[in-house]
Amino acid sequence: MAFKTDIQIAREAAKRPIQEIGEKLGISSDDLLPYGHDKAKVSQTFIDSVQDRANGKLILVTAINPTPAGEGKTTTTVGLGDGLNRIGKKAAVCIREASLGPNFGMKGGAAGGGYAQIVPMEEMNLHFTGDFHAITSAHNLLAAMIDNHIYWGNELEIDTRRVVWRRVVDMNDRALRQITASLGGVPNGFPRETGFDITVASEVMAILCLSKNLSDLQERLGAMIVAYRRDRSPVYARDIKADGAMTVLLKDAMQPNLVQTLENNPAFVHGGPFANIAHGCNSVIATTTALKLADYVVTEAGFGADLGAEKFMNIKCRKAGLAPSVVVVVATVRAMKMNGGVAKADLGAENVEAVQKGCANLGRHIENVKSFGVPVVVAINHFVTDTDAEVATVKDYVAAQGAEAILSRHWELGSEGSADLATRVAEIADGDHANFAPLYADEMPLFEKIETIAKRIYRADEVLADQKVRNQLKDWEAQGYGDLPVCMAKTQYSFSTDPDLRGAPTGFSVPIREVRLSAGAGFVVVICGEIMTMPGLPRVPSAEAIKLNADGDVEGLF
């Protein structure tokens, strides 16, 4: 049986005017700023007006470590949201915006798949409402103002060797990781080494996603450390007088974007930090707004639960005062087989033994999520090649872990295929079984926080860090930043820092290469192993296959 492609399905969508989608949540057309007919921003005035309402139930969707076999975390997030609406619940979906880096690199789009998608898919995966462009512009405005300040006399006495604010671009471009700026003589300033990160790794992106409103946004922007003086005292963005202009650039980007699923249910798509190099969650303002408007809010956290879910719990929930009622861990039979040692080309053949072996990865994620005091449901994202015996193997394994696995066919059938999952998730959420708590206390020393995640979440034996890194952490503690959470940057493909070490490895160390203070966002970034904050393109990037056809439609994007 031939199945339609995701993009074919998305183009056939019977979209409703965005004003109708807003009405489902009680948002009037006057409170929407439309971008065309099928997407809009929700006004801050409206958001402020609903803050006295009670919150709905928060449902987090996470996954096992990603494999080339595919897991379908976003697809399941959308399918679950549609399923909840199908069974009569008032539900909304909250996901992140797509970065151009992976779109043109190797990952492709980020709007779900099959009959569990958010539309307009093509616009969401390209420029959308311009939020990423605004974040890039605000970030680079600050960079330009720092160099301009130095050029015109350096009143703040910035040590040009200790400018820590790098530039960003929303593209995978390894050539920009490390550069020398201001070459060309006196008119161009003072030469110094710097570099670029991808926009989703920007502290400005993190701040936008963690801020409650515009005043909170500007305060956080002003608190960003951009450089140090010779006496090692910090220079803040507010010292450069950049925070006001940056807030102006981000004024519209701060407002959440409202779109719809294929089944015309409301979805907020806002913010886009990666979970392997940033905190990997959609914006606090989108999530908290949705919780005021819907009885159930389904949101996702990036990559595997060791990254996205850990940061959702330890950073986003801690900062925003949120607590999930239930967590859904997405897995596929195909990914279990790949974790069990089966090559991608052989995944179509039944292999119960490999499924059983690969389930160790799933089991560790279940145990980790439970350690936060939240009940867990496993969603088996169905592929047509799955056999009954393989599905039963996963269900039996999950039951032995004290959780429940439910087969969901949302990719193929939309909400009809996810109704069983939605029913069970709603039952658990309504039962108020969660007793959520972050993994570590605010007052725990920074290095101990790192060790706690490495040992309890990754199952590492030790953390390797040279004296320079340890001293830097102690300095930040002395400066009053010791109560911040830590944001681990590491490969998404493994619990370890070795992307080829699949399954549930033990007996490894976690090497720390660098630590960065994100004082405005309110966390310390810990860069582990070989992870890069500016990714590179693969040998054959997706961009090579993306084009416009004779009808003017986009091909190859998804």
Side-chain angles (χ1 to χ4, degrees):
M1 178 180 178
F3 292 92
K4 293 180 180 178
T5 65
D6 293 339
I7 200 164
Q8 286 175 322
I9 294 170
R11 285 183 181 150
E12 294 172 358
K15 291 182 290 186
R16 303 304 304 158
I18 196 61
Q19 290 79 4
E20 290 186 19
I21 307 302
E23 287 174 5
K24 291 189 174 186
L25 295 176
I27 309 173
S28 72
S29 58
D30 291 340
D31 291 311
L32 294 174
L33 176 62
Y35 281 68
H37 301 290
D38 51 12
K39 50 191 177 295
K41 284 189 169 291
V42 180
S43 74
Q44 184 67 52
T45 303
F46 173 80
I47 293 170
D48 293 341
S49 73
V50 299
Q51 292 309 302
D52 59 345
R53 298 184 186 179
N55 284 339
K57 302 290 186 179
L58 181 59
I59 300 162
L60 172 66
V61 178
T62 184
I64 61 171
N65 292 97
T67 70
E71 288 68 48
K73 176 165 49 61
T74 304
T75 304
T76 303
T77 301
V78 179
L80 177 56
D82 281 339
L84 287 164
N85 281 290
R86 183 183 183 88
I87 64 172
K89 308 296 186 182
K90 185 178 182 181
V93 169
C94 286
I95 68 170
R96 294 164 297 160
E97 301 177 52
S99 165
L100 296 181
N103 281 350
F104 293 109
M106 62 182 294
K107 184 175 180 289
Y115 287 94
Q117 293 189 60
I118 292 176
V119 287
M121 188 268 275
E122 292 172 38
E123 288 95 324
M124 277 179 53
N125 284 307
L126 294 171
H127 304 291
F128 199 28
T129 58
D131 293 344
F132 279 28
H133 298 297
I135 292 166
T136 302
S137 297
H139 183 112
N140 290 336
L141 170 64
L142 175 56
M145 291 180 70
I146 294 166
D147 284 323
N148 186 63
H149 178 89
I150 294 169
Y151 178 83
W152 290 106
N154 196 6
E155 182 181 348
L156 293 171
E157 298 182 346
I158 293 171
D159 185 346
T160 57
R161 302 167 302 174
R162 295 189 173 95
V163 176
V164 296
W165 193 254
R166 294 155 59 87
R167 287 166 166 80
V168 297
V169 63
D170 189 33
M171 198 61 62
N172 292 358
D173 193 348
R174 64 172 57 84
L176 294 177
R177 285 174 183 161
Q178 200 70 24
I179 66 169
T180 303
S182 300
L183 295 178
V186 173
N188 297 338
F190 298 88
R192 64 179 181 87
E193 284 193 27
T194 183
F196 278 75
D197 295 325
I198 192 167
T199 296
V200 289
S202 166
E203 186 177 356
V204 178
M205 171 68 80
I207 285 174
L208 182 134
C209 289
L210 291 169
S211 297
K212 299 174 183 177
N213 49 46
L214 283 173
S215 60
D216 185 27
L217 175 77
Q218 180 163 349
E219 184 176 346
R220 289 173 177 270
L221 292 172
M224 296 187 300
I225 295 175
V226 300
Y228 293 88
R229 301 176 180 86
R230 288 182 179 273
D231 63 3
R232 305 298 180 92
S233 61
V235 178
Y236 299 94
R238 59 177 175 263
D239 298 328
I240 302 292
K241 298 182 176 62
D243 51 322
M246 293 174 73
T247 304
V248 169
L249 281 174
L250 296 169
K251 177 175 65 70
D252 291 337
M254 185 65 187
Q255 299 175 110
N257 306 298
L258 179 68
V259 285
Q260 61 191 288
T261 70
L262 289 177
E263 299 187 14
N264 311 123
N265 292 312
F268 290 93
V269 181
H270 194 220
F274 286 170
N276 60 345
I277 53 179
H279 74 286
C281 307
N282 76 295
S283 73
V284 165
I285 194 170
T287 303
T288 54
T289 299
L291 284 167
K292 299 297 184 184
L293 305 177
D295 296 327
Y296 302 85
V297 173
V298 186
T299 190
E300 66 170 2
F303 291 127
D306 58 316
L307 287 169
E310 181 270 309
K311 294 171 184 178
F312 179 88
M313 309 287 196
N314 282 323
I315 297 177
K316 181 174 179 176
C317 289
R318 186 192 303 264
K319 296 288 185 182
L322 298 172
S325 297
V326 59
V327 175
V328 178
V329 178
V330 180
T332 62
V333 167
R334 288 164 54 87
M336 293 298 95
K337 286 192 279 193
M338 183 162 268
N339 270 296
V342 176
K344 186 177 181 181
D346 301 325
L347 292 175
E350 183 179 84
N351 192 329
V352 173
E353 183 180 353
V355 172
Q356 178 67 38
K357 183 180 178 183
C359 278
N361 183 271
L362 172 59
R364 184 172 289 181
H365 287 298
I366 293 172
E367 186 179 346
N368 284 346
V369 173
K370 280 186 173 182
S371 70
F372 289 96
V374 184
V376 179
V377 174
V378 172
I380 305 174
N381 182 22
H382 181 258
F383 277 68
V384 294
T385 55
D386 298 346
T387 69
D388 291 343
E390 290 172 330
V391 172
T393 299
V394 178
K395 287 186 174 181
D396 290 345
Y397 178 88
V398 172
Q401 307 303 308
E404 183 178 355
I406 300 171
L407 186 68
S408 190
R409 301 178 65 184
H410 45 274
W411 182 89
E412 179 185 1
L413 302 174
S415 64
E416 179 186 352
S418 62
D420 289 346
L421 176 66
T423 299
R424 187 67 184 117
V425 167
E427 287 174 353
I428 295 173
D430 291 341
D432 292 325
H433 301 294
N435 188 22
F436 168 73
L439 196 62
Y440 52 79
D442 290 343
E443 58 270 18
M444 181 183 286
L446 292 172
F447 192 76
E448 287 186 28
K449 291 173 182 173
I450 297 168
E451 286 187 314
T452 298
I453 293 172
K455 293 180 178 180
R456 292 183 58 182
I457 299 296
Y458 308 156
R459 307 301 201 279
D461 287 346
E462 62 180 346
V463 175
L464 302 177
D466 62 27
Q467 198 59 46
K468 180 180 178 182
V469 167
R470 293 170 186 262
N471 289 342
Q472 181 65 84
L473 294 173
K474 289 178 181 177
D475 287 346
W476 288 334
E477 288 170 351
Q479 294 165 16
Y481 296 109
D483 62 343
L484 297 184
V486 293
C487 181
M488 305 292 281
K490 76 166 186 71
T491 180
Q492 65 270 30
Y493 297 114
S494 173
F495 280 103
S496 73
T497 56
D498 179 356
D500 297 322
L501 205 56
R502 298 194 185 281
T506 56
F508 62 89
S509 302
V510 173
I512 299 176
R513 192 174 82 244
E514 180 187 353
V515 286
R516 299 178 183 177
L517 175 59
S518 294
F523 53 69
V524 173
V525 179
V526 182
I527 301 176
C528 306
E530 300 301 318
I531 193 71
M532 296 292 178
T533 51
M534 167 55 83
L537 292 172
R539 183 180 296 274
V540 182
S542 298
E544 292 185 8
I546 296 174
K547 62 182 179 179
L548 290 175
N549 63 22
D551 297 324
D553 295 324
V554 177
E555 288 186 355
L557 179 61
F558 203 68

